[in-house]
Structure formats: structure tokens, C-alpha cells
Amino acid sequence: DSFDQLFSPTLQLLLEQVENYLFGCYDALCILLMIKVTHQFRRAAQSRTINSLNGFFDQLTQLLWPRLRTVMELHSRSIKQATVLSLGGVDLHAHYVSRRFAEFTCSVLLILQKGNKTPNQNNNNNNNEPSSGGGRGNGSNKTPPP
């Protein structure tokens, strides 16, 4: 296949670079985002019947999922081994571990959310103005509010 002859070295280099990056990566959200993007590109390629990239997506997925599992196990072990003294004293505000866990959980839920809708797209604006900055090309000559 001419596609394999032409792109095989490039895809191998890409896989090596991802593997080198993942070796020192402990960011679970980054890895989860990479998995999500890989899945979306695989679906896009399949919808266009581009089957020549299936092997690349399989190899990429085989690199990402084990690393995510390892990083999550390290995070879990870190929480289990924590002691009251290592976590700091009592404070009137929410503990930083609780805040970090809440932020992490929210991020995971947003990454895994079905569809491509953002929270601003769920609001129904009937005035045809953009919900955030920019908004070029909407056919409106209104100036954005200050």
C-alpha cells in the first residue's frame, strides 16, 4: 500500500515521540485528553472510510491507556499513604486536597462529556448575539457591550 510506504516513518516517529513524552508524564488530565482526541480522530476517519490509520490509532491507544492506569494508581497510592501531618493543619476553608479533587473530578467529567457542546452553547440566546467575545460573521452590526 502506497499510504503505508509514504507515511509509515512519520507515524512511527509520532508514536516514539508520544511514548517518550508519556514516560515522564504524570498529568492524568493530559493523558485523558489525548485519549479523547484520539478517539474523536478515529471516529472522524471511520466516518470518512479512511481505514489506513486504524493501526496507528490502535498503537496510540495502547500507549495511552496503560499510562493513564499507572498515573491514576500513583495518585490513588499517594492519597492512601497521606497522613494528617503530611496534609497540613486544620483550616477554616476547604482543604486543598478536597479542592484539588473537586477540580480534577470536574475536569474529568467535562472531558468525558458526550457531544461537543460547551456550557455557553446550552443557553438559548434569542437575540443572535454571541455568548462570548469575538462573534464575527454572525450578520449583526451591533457592537459588543463594554
Side-chain angles (χ1 to χ4, degrees), residues 9 13 19-20 26 35 41-42 51 63 70 73-74 82 94 96 99-100 108 111 127 129 132-134 139 141 144:
L13 178 65
E19 187 175 13
N20 289 338
Y26 296 94
I35 291 170
F41 278 128
R42 179 192 294 262
N51 297 323
L63 288 174
T70 301
E73 287 172 357
L74 289 171
Y96 73 93
R99 289 194 310 260
R100 295 283 309 266
V108 168
I111 291 170
N127 57 4
E129 291 184 17
S132 60
N141 292 330

mmCIF file of all heavy atoms in Angstrom, residues 9 13 19-20 26 35 41-42 51 63 70 73-74 82 94 96 99-100 108 111 127 129 132-134 139 141 144:
data_model
loop_
_atom_site.group_PDB
_atom_site.id
_atom_site.type_symbol
_atom_site.label_atom_id
_atom_site.label_comp_id
_atom_site.label_asym_id
_atom_site.label_seq_id
_atom_site.Cartn_x
_atom_site.Cartn_y
_atom_site.Cartn_z
ATOM 1 N N PRO A 9 7.056 5.929 8.214
ATOM 2 C CA PRO A 9 8.118 6.522 9.032
ATOM 3 C C PRO A 9 7.631 7.700 9.882
ATOM 4 O O PRO A 9 8.030 7.849 11.035
ATOM 5 C CB PRO A 9 9.158 6.989 8.004
ATOM 6 C CG PRO A 9 8.873 6.223 6.762
ATOM 7 C CD PRO A 9 7.405 5.938 6.788
ATOM 8 N N LEU A 13 7.571 7.813 13.970
ATOM 9 C CA LEU A 13 8.218 8.900 14.709
ATOM 10 C C LEU A 13 7.238 9.534 15.684
ATOM 11 O O LEU A 13 7.586 9.822 16.833
ATOM 12 C CB LEU A 13 8.767 9.950 13.737
ATOM 13 C CG LEU A 13 9.431 11.168 14.387
ATOM 14 C CD1 LEU A 13 10.677 10.742 15.147
ATOM 15 C CD2 LEU A 13 9.758 12.210 13.346
ATOM 16 N N GLU A 19 5.440 8.232 23.068
ATOM 17 C CA GLU A 19 5.936 7.306 24.088
ATOM 18 C C GLU A 19 6.983 7.975 24.974
ATOM 19 O O GLU A 19 6.958 7.824 26.196
ATOM 20 C CB GLU A 19 6.519 6.068 23.417
ATOM 21 C CG GLU A 19 6.894 4.977 24.394
ATOM 22 C CD GLU A 19 7.354 3.716 23.701
ATOM 23 O OE1 GLU A 19 7.629 3.750 22.474
ATOM 24 O OE2 GLU A 19 7.431 2.690 24.375
ATOM 25 N N ASN A 20 7.898 8.743 24.376
ATOM 26 C CA ASN A 20 8.908 9.469 25.160
ATOM 27 C C ASN A 20 8.251 10.493 26.079
ATOM 28 O O ASN A 20 8.673 10.678 27.222
ATOM 29 C CB ASN A 20 9.912 10.149 24.241
ATOM 30 C CG ASN A 20 10.819 9.159 23.562
ATOM 31 O OD1 ASN A 20 11.002 8.036 24.031
ATOM 32 N ND2 ASN A 20 11.374 9.552 22.436
ATOM 33 N N TYR A 26 2.916 12.729 34.308
ATOM 34 C CA TYR A 26 2.090 12.316 35.443
ATOM 35 C C TYR A 26 0.783 13.092 35.482
ATOM 36 O O TYR A 26 0.105 13.132 36.498
ATOM 37 C CB TYR A 26 2.868 12.511 36.751
ATOM 38 C CG TYR A 26 4.075 11.625 36.818
ATOM 39 C CD1 TYR A 26 5.316 12.083 36.404
ATOM 40 C CD2 TYR A 26 3.971 10.312 37.263
ATOM 41 C CE1 TYR A 26 6.429 11.260 36.439
ATOM 42 C CE2 TYR A 26 5.072 9.477 37.303
ATOM 43 C CZ TYR A 26 6.294 9.962 36.891
ATOM 44 O OH TYR A 26 7.379 9.126 36.920
ATOM 45 N N ILE A 35 -6.449 10.709 24.944
ATOM 46 C CA ILE A 35 -7.304 9.567 24.625
ATOM 47 C C ILE A 35 -8.574 10.042 23.928
ATOM 48 O O ILE A 35 -9.014 9.475 22.923
ATOM 49 C CB ILE A 35 -7.629 8.751 25.895
ATOM 50 C CG1 ILE A 35 -6.380 8.035 26.398
ATOM 51 C CG2 ILE A 35 -8.751 7.754 25.644
ATOM 52 C CD1 ILE A 35 -6.525 7.413 27.763
ATOM 53 N N PHE A 41 -10.613 11.511 16.533
ATOM 54 C CA PHE A 41 -9.992 11.403 15.218
ATOM 55 C C PHE A 41 -10.266 10.040 14.593
ATOM 56 O O PHE A 41 -10.463 9.935 13.379
ATOM 57 C CB PHE A 41 -8.487 11.659 15.291
ATOM 58 C CG PHE A 41 -8.127 13.112 15.302
ATOM 59 C CD1 PHE A 41 -7.290 13.629 16.275
ATOM 60 C CD2 PHE A 41 -8.620 13.979 14.337
ATOM 61 C CE1 PHE A 41 -6.951 14.965 16.289
ATOM 62 C CE2 PHE A 41 -8.286 15.325 14.339
ATOM 63 C CZ PHE A 41 -7.444 15.816 15.324
ATOM 64 N N ARG A 42 -10.288 8.997 15.412
ATOM 65 C CA ARG A 42 -10.601 7.664 14.895
ATOM 66 C C ARG A 42 -12.025 7.639 14.336
ATOM 67 O O ARG A 42 -12.271 7.112 13.252
ATOM 68 C CB ARG A 42 -10.447 6.613 15.977
ATOM 69 C CG ARG A 42 -10.790 5.199 15.495
ATOM 70 C CD ARG A 42 -10.906 4.207 16.638
ATOM 71 N NE ARG A 42 -9.667 3.973 17.308
ATOM 72 C CZ ARG A 42 -8.875 2.929 17.068
ATOM 73 N NH1 ARG A 42 -9.210 2.044 16.160
ATOM 74 N NH2 ARG A 42 -7.766 2.771 17.737
ATOM 75 N N ASN A 51 -9.529 3.857 6.438
ATOM 76 C CA ASN A 51 -9.148 2.727 7.282
ATOM 77 C C ASN A 51 -7.644 2.547 7.418
ATOM 78 O O ASN A 51 -7.187 1.729 8.208
ATOM 79 C CB ASN A 51 -9.769 1.443 6.729
ATOM 80 C CG ASN A 51 -11.273 1.507 6.767
ATOM 81 O OD1 ASN A 51 -11.865 2.038 7.689
ATOM 82 N ND2 ASN A 51 -11.913 0.979 5.725
ATOM 83 N N LEU A 63 -0.652 2.827 23.902
ATOM 84 C CA LEU A 63 0.310 3.588 24.691
ATOM 85 C C LEU A 63 -0.380 4.397 25.786
ATOM 86 O O LEU A 63 0.130 4.515 26.907
ATOM 87 C CB LEU A 63 1.096 4.554 23.799
ATOM 88 C CG LEU A 63 2.129 3.996 22.854
ATOM 89 C CD1 LEU A 63 2.688 5.100 21.966
ATOM 90 C CD2 LEU A 63 3.253 3.331 23.634
ATOM 91 N N THR A 70 -1.563 3.689 35.141
ATOM 92 C CA THR A 70 -0.413 3.818 36.042
ATOM 93 C C THR A 70 -0.463 5.135 36.813
ATOM 94 O O THR A 70 -0.250 5.159 38.034
ATOM 95 C CB THR A 70 0.899 3.736 35.238
ATOM 96 O OG1 THR A 70 0.942 2.489 34.557
ATOM 97 C CG2 THR A 70 2.104 3.874 36.135
ATOM 98 N N GLU A 73 -3.166 5.038 39.438
ATOM 99 C CA GLU A 73 -2.745 4.210 40.571
ATOM 100 C C GLU A 73 -1.754 4.956 41.456
ATOM 101 O O GLU A 73 -1.812 4.852 42.682
ATOM 102 C CB GLU A 73 -2.145 2.895 40.072
ATOM 103 C CG GLU A 73 -3.183 1.936 39.526
ATOM 104 C CD GLU A 73 -2.567 0.711 38.853
ATOM 105 O OE1 GLU A 73 -1.320 0.619 38.761
ATOM 106 O OE2 GLU A 73 -3.350 -0.154 38.407
ATOM 107 N N LEU A 74 -0.842 5.717 40.843
ATOM 108 C CA LEU A 74 0.096 6.524 41.627
ATOM 109 C C LEU A 74 -0.632 7.593 42.430
ATOM 110 O O LEU A 74 -0.305 7.833 43.603
ATOM 111 C CB LEU A 74 1.137 7.166 40.708
ATOM 112 C CG LEU A 74 2.169 6.232 40.092
ATOM 113 C CD1 LEU A 74 2.990 6.961 39.038
ATOM 114 C CD2 LEU A 74 3.063 5.641 41.166
ATOM 115 N N ALA A 82 -1.171 9.237 52.556
ATOM 116 C CA ALA A 82 -1.138 10.547 53.204
ATOM 117 C C ALA A 82 -1.530 10.416 54.667
ATOM 118 O O ALA A 82 -2.381 9.615 55.045
ATOM 119 C CB ALA A 82 -2.080 11.508 52.493
ATOM 120 N N ALA A 94 -12.009 25.080 52.807
ATOM 121 C CA ALA A 94 -11.935 23.707 52.303
ATOM 122 C C ALA A 94 -10.472 23.309 52.150
ATOM 123 O O ALA A 94 -9.633 24.110 51.726
ATOM 124 C CB ALA A 94 -12.658 23.597 50.969
ATOM 125 N N TYR A 96 -7.066 21.871 50.788
ATOM 126 C CA TYR A 96 -6.565 21.944 49.418
ATOM 127 C C TYR A 96 -6.675 20.608 48.690
ATOM 128 O O TYR A 96 -6.871 20.574 47.480
ATOM 129 C CB TYR A 96 -5.133 22.483 49.376
ATOM 130 C CG TYR A 96 -4.074 21.523 49.854
ATOM 131 C CD1 TYR A 96 -3.408 20.700 48.943
ATOM 132 C CD2 TYR A 96 -3.723 21.434 51.194
ATOM 133 C CE1 TYR A 96 -2.436 19.818 49.361
ATOM 134 C CE2 TYR A 96 -2.761 20.554 51.610
ATOM 135 C CZ TYR A 96 -2.107 19.748 50.703
ATOM 136 O OH TYR A 96 -1.145 18.873 51.119
ATOM 137 N N ARG A 99 -10.229 20.497 47.457
ATOM 138 C CA ARG A 99 -10.391 21.392 46.313
ATOM 139 C C ARG A 99 -9.762 20.803 45.059
ATOM 140 O O ARG A 99 -10.356 20.835 43.977
ATOM 141 C CB ARG A 99 -9.785 22.762 46.608
ATOM 142 C CG ARG A 99 -10.577 23.578 47.611
ATOM 143 C CD ARG A 99 -10.133 25.028 47.619
ATOM 144 N NE ARG A 99 -8.706 25.216 47.734
ATOM 145 C CZ ARG A 99 -8.052 25.516 48.853
ATOM 146 N NH1 ARG A 99 -8.725 25.688 49.970
ATOM 147 N NH2 ARG A 99 -6.752 25.668 48.856
ATOM 148 N N ARG A 100 -8.570 20.261 45.187
ATOM 149 C CA ARG A 100 -7.891 19.664 44.028
ATOM 150 C C ARG A 100 -8.667 18.469 43.487
ATOM 151 O O ARG A 100 -8.778 18.276 42.289
ATOM 152 C CB ARG A 100 -6.470 19.223 44.401
ATOM 153 C CG ARG A 100 -5.519 20.327 44.785
ATOM 154 C CD ARG A 100 -4.973 21.115 43.609
ATOM 155 N NE ARG A 100 -4.412 20.336 42.553
ATOM 156 C CZ ARG A 100 -3.128 20.021 42.418
ATOM 157 N NH1 ARG A 100 -2.258 20.435 43.312
ATOM 158 N NH2 ARG A 100 -2.718 19.317 41.384
ATOM 159 N N VAL A 108 -12.473 15.859 34.651
ATOM 160 C CA VAL A 108 -12.720 14.550 34.037
ATOM 161 C C VAL A 108 -14.129 14.490 33.470
ATOM 162 O O VAL A 108 -14.346 14.019 32.347
ATOM 163 C CB VAL A 108 -12.485 13.407 35.053
ATOM 164 C CG1 VAL A 108 -13.015 12.082 34.537
ATOM 165 C CG2 VAL A 108 -11.008 13.293 35.384
ATOM 166 N N ILE A 111 -14.270 16.474 30.256
ATOM 167 C CA ILE A 111 -13.585 15.792 29.159
ATOM 168 C C ILE A 111 -14.435 14.651 28.628
ATOM 169 O O ILE A 111 -14.541 14.446 27.424
ATOM 170 C CB ILE A 111 -12.208 15.281 29.614
ATOM 171 C CG1 ILE A 111 -11.270 16.458 29.866
ATOM 172 C CG2 ILE A 111 -11.604 14.331 28.581
ATOM 173 C CD1 ILE A 111 -9.977 16.079 30.535
ATOM 174 N N ASN A 127 -31.365 36.677 20.941
ATOM 175 C CA ASN A 127 -31.042 37.960 20.351
ATOM 176 C C ASN A 127 -29.915 37.862 19.322
ATOM 177 O O ASN A 127 -29.417 38.873 18.869
ATOM 178 C CB ASN A 127 -30.689 38.986 21.433
ATOM 179 C CG ASN A 127 -29.543 38.522 22.298
ATOM 180 O OD1 ASN A 127 -28.948 37.474 22.060
ATOM 181 N ND2 ASN A 127 -29.235 39.306 23.320
ATOM 182 N N GLU A 129 -26.856 37.387 19.447
ATOM 183 C CA GLU A 129 -25.560 37.932 19.800
ATOM 184 C C GLU A 129 -24.692 36.798 20.309
ATOM 185 O O GLU A 129 -25.186 35.847 20.889
ATOM 186 C CB GLU A 129 -25.703 39.012 20.880
ATOM 187 C CG GLU A 129 -26.393 40.263 20.375
ATOM 188 C CD GLU A 129 -26.432 41.341 21.436
ATOM 189 O OE1 GLU A 129 -25.664 41.237 22.411
ATOM 190 O OE2 GLU A 129 -27.212 42.274 21.288
ATOM 191 N N SER A 132 -19.931 34.824 23.848
ATOM 192 C CA SER A 132 -18.625 35.219 24.349
ATOM 193 C C SER A 132 -17.996 36.143 23.321
ATOM 194 O O SER A 132 -18.544 36.392 22.265
ATOM 195 C CB SER A 132 -17.759 33.988 24.604
ATOM 196 O OG SER A 132 -17.593 33.264 23.410
ATOM 197 N N GLY A 133 -16.781 36.631 23.596
ATOM 198 C CA GLY A 133 -16.120 37.614 22.758
ATOM 199 C C GLY A 133 -15.984 37.182 21.320
ATOM 200 O O GLY A 133 -16.140 36.037 20.949
ATOM 201 N N GLY A 134 -15.653 38.114 20.469
ATOM 202 C CA GLY A 134 -15.490 37.807 19.043
ATOM 203 C C GLY A 134 -16.809 37.935 18.341
ATOM 204 O O GLY A 134 -17.383 39.005 18.261
ATOM 205 N N GLY A 139 -23.579 38.247 11.079
ATOM 206 C CA GLY A 139 -24.522 39.063 10.334
ATOM 207 C C GLY A 139 -25.063 40.230 11.116
ATOM 208 O O GLY A 139 -25.910 40.957 10.639
ATOM 209 N N ASN A 141 -24.623 43.896 13.020
ATOM 210 C CA ASN A 141 -23.775 45.087 13.034
ATOM 211 C C ASN A 141 -23.715 45.714 14.413
ATOM 212 O O ASN A 141 -23.210 46.815 14.564
ATOM 213 C CB ASN A 141 -24.282 46.111 12.013
ATOM 214 C CG ASN A 141 -24.088 45.630 10.600
ATOM 215 O OD1 ASN A 141 -23.159 44.887 10.335
ATOM 216 N ND2 ASN A 141 -24.977 46.030 9.705
ATOM 217 N N PRO A 144 -20.257 44.984 20.432
ATOM 218 C CA PRO A 144 -20.332 44.206 21.672
ATOM 219 C C PRO A 144 -20.386 45.137 22.882
ATOM 220 O O PRO A 144 -19.869 46.252 22.838
ATOM 221 C CB PRO A 144 -19.042 43.391 21.663
ATOM 222 C CG PRO A 144 -18.151 44.034 20.668
ATOM 223 C CD PRO A 144 -19.015 44.812 19.741
#
